[in-house]
Amino acid sequence: MGINPGSARYYRILAGLYLPFHFCLFTKPTNKSNMSNNSNDKKTNNTFYEWQDFKTNIVKASEAVPDSSLRGRRFLDRVDRWFRKLDGVTLRYIPENYHPFIQAGAIANFMFVVAVITGFALLIWYSPSVHYAYDSVVSMSDKPYTAELIRSLHRYSSDAFMLFVLFHAFKVFFAGRFSGSRWLAWITGIIAVLLIWFDGWLGYWLVWDERAAMIATGTAKMIDVLPIFAEPLKASFLTDDSFNSVLFLIVFFMHMLIPIAFGIAIWLHVARLNKPAFITNRNFSILLLGSLVIVSLLFPADVEGPADLMSAPENVTIDYFYLLPLILTERLQGGTLWLIFLVGFIAVSSVPWIMKRQKEDTQPVIDEIKCNGCTQCFHDCPYNAISMVPREKGNPKKSEFVANIDPSICVSCGICVGSCDPVAVEYPNLSPWEIRSKIDKWLDEENRTLEGQFIAFVCGNSAGSLLTIDSETGECKEMPGYLVATLPCAGWVHPTLIERALKKGAEGVLVSGCESDPDFRLGADWLGDRIEGERHPEFRKDRYEVDRILYLKLDKPDFSKFLTEAQQFRGSREKENR
C-alpha cells in the first residue's frame, strides 16, 4: 500500500482563500515609538529588582485570574501570547466579525451546515449500493456545475470544518479555558469532533474506491477485536463478491444519522453560554461560501480507482483530516489500535482535572438579604450561571425573587459583581468592599505619595497581566504614578467604583480589559457599554468627566503599548491641570 501526500495541495489553496491576510504574519511595522518603548522596558527591568527588594506583598496581575493555578500555566501563557499576537496583527486589517481566527468556532459550525445541505443534495445522483456507488460518484464528473460542484463543496466544507474546529480547540486549550465549570464544553467539544471525524471516515467508505477498501479493512480490523459478530468482519472483505451489501447500507445510514448526534453535542457545548456566536453572520457566510465555490470549481474533489479487495492499492492520496489513521491500520493490529485510541481519548478528556491544581473556592455567592431582585446580573452573566428564584430571606416587599448562582456552572469571572447596585454579590477572593477600602486608603491625603494620583484596575488576562504589584500599597514599578488593583475580568468593575476613585481625589482612572476573544467573553464589552452609558449600571456622566477615564482593551502581547498609553494618559491629565 502506498499513501501519497499529494492531496495536501488543496489544503494550501483552501487556507489561501480563507486566510487572505496571511501576509500579515510576516509584516509587523516598526517605528521609533516602538523602539523607545523597548528601551523603556529594559530600563524598567534593570531597576525593578532594586524596587522589589523593599516589598513584601509582591503579586503578578495574572494571579487575579481564577484559573491561574493550572499546571503548566507558564507554558500555556507563552503559546497563548502567540495566538493573541496573531489576532492583534490581523485585526489591523480584518474586522472582528469577519476574522477567521476569532470566529473559528462559528466558521466550523457554518461549514457543518454546508456539509449537511450538500450531503442531502448529493442523494439526487448518488446510489447507496455497493454495486453502483462508485459508478454514480464517477458519473458526477460529467456534471461539473451541478453534481461535481456539490460533491466538491461537501468534501471541502468537511475539511474546513475540521481545520477551524482544531484551531478553535488549540486556542481554547492554550488560553486555559477548560478547567472548573468549563469541563462540560471541553468534553462535549471532544465528542463532537470525534463524531464528525467518524462521519467523514464513513463518508469516504461510501465512495467505494481504493481508499474506501482500505477504510473498510481497517475498520474491520478494529471491530473484530470486540465480541460483536460471531464471524470475523474481515471475512467480508476477502473478495469483491464476499462483501455484504447490507453492511454497505448500514454504513450509509450511519453516515446520515451521525450529524444528529453531533447537533446534540454542539447544543450541550454552548448550552451554558449567554448569547453564543453559534454561526457566522450573513455577509461572512456568503464570503465563506464563495471561497468554497471557487476552490471547488478550480480543484474538483478527486476519486481513486474502483475498490479491489483482491489487491493492495498503490500510490493512494489521503485526506489527512479524516484518513490519517490509515497509516496505522495498515501497520498495527486491532488491539494496539484500540489501545492507542483509548489512551489518547482518556488523556485528552482528563485535561480539565489533570491540569488543575487544588485552589480555594473563588465562586461568588449572593447575599439574599441585600439582593433587590433587579435581574441585572441574570442578564449580564455570560455563562447562564444565574437564575432568579423565590426569596426566602430578607424583606419580601423588596422583591419576590432573588438571584441565585449555580456553582456547577459559574466560572468565577466576577462580571456579576460589576452588575450589582446593592453590592449583594460576595466574591471570596476579591470583595468589592475590600477594594473600596483600599481605594479610600490609597487616596487618603495622609497616605498619598504624589500630588496627582492615578488608579488602575487591571484585568489579569489583559495586556497588564505582566505587571508586578505590591498588593498592599498598589504600587507598581512599571507604572509610576499609578496605584494598581488587579481583577479577574474588567467586567468586575462597577461604575460606582470608578466614580468613588474620582470623588476621593484620583486625577484619573485607567481600566484594562481584553481586546480579542476575551477569556470571560462579554465582560470587557459590558464595562465599555456601562462607561458609555449604554448599559445599566451606567457611569454618571453628569457628575464626573469621562475624559478622566481611560479604558484600554489590549491583549497580553501589547504590554509595551499598554505602558505607553497609560503614561500618555497620565501626562495629558497632568498637563491639562497645570
Side-chain angles (χ1 to χ4, degrees), residues 33-219:
S33 62
N34 286 338
M35 294 174 64
S36 63
N37 292 342
N38 293 335
S39 63
N40 290 337
D41 290 344
K42 291 179 181 178
K43 292 178 182 178
T44 299
N45 291 334
N46 291 335
T47 58
F48 168 71
Y49 294 103
E50 299 175 7
W51 172 82
Q52 187 179 14
D53 290 340
F54 299 97
K55 304 298 179 181
T56 57
N57 302 291
I58 302 301
V59 296
K60 282 285 187 182
S62 58
E63 294 178 17
V65 180
D67 57 7
S68 61
S69 63
L70 288 174
R71 290 186 173 89
R73 184 74 215 199
R74 289 185 179 180
F75 170 72
L76 295 178
D77 278 343
R78 288 194 188 99
V79 181
D80 182 50
R81 287 179 187 278
W82 281 104
F83 276 113
R84 293 186 183 275
K85 186 176 291 186
L86 184 62
D87 289 345
V89 171
T90 51
L91 274 170
R92 300 173 188 171
Y93 309 94
I94 303 171
E96 186 170 334
N97 288 339
Y98 295 86
H99 201 289
F101 300 154
I102 297 175
Q103 303 290 335
I107 294 174
N109 288 334
F110 172 75
M111 294 300 171
F112 168 73
V113 172
V114 173
V116 169
I117 293 174
T118 53
F120 276 105
L122 283 175
L123 295 178
I124 298 173
W125 300 279
Y126 179 73
S127 176
S129 166
V130 68
H131 303 293
Y132 304 107
Y134 180 78
D135 291 336
S136 66
V137 172
V138 171
S139 65
M140 292 180 189
S141 60
D142 298 331
K143 308 172 186 66
Y145 299 108
T146 52
E148 186 177 57
L149 174 61
I150 292 175
R151 177 172 177 258
S152 299
L153 285 171
H154 185 67
R155 176 167 175 179
Y156 289 133
S157 61
S158 301
D159 289 334
F161 169 87
M162 197 61 73
L163 172 69
F164 284 104
V165 83
L166 289 176
F167 185 84
H168 172 70
F170 278 116
K171 283 193 72 174
V172 167
F173 174 75
F174 289 110
R177 300 201 293 261
F178 52 77
S179 62
S181 302
R182 289 168 162 172
W183 69 267
L184 180 63
W186 179 260
I187 295 297
T188 53
I190 293 171
I191 293 173
V193 171
L194 287 177
L195 285 171
I196 287 299
W197 171 83
F198 186 57
D199 203 37
W201 175 268
L202 297 181
Y204 274 103
W205 185 330
L206 294 175
V207 178
W208 202 235
D209 57 1
E210 291 178 316
R211 276 187 299 239
M214 295 165 59
I215 293 168
T217 54
T219 304

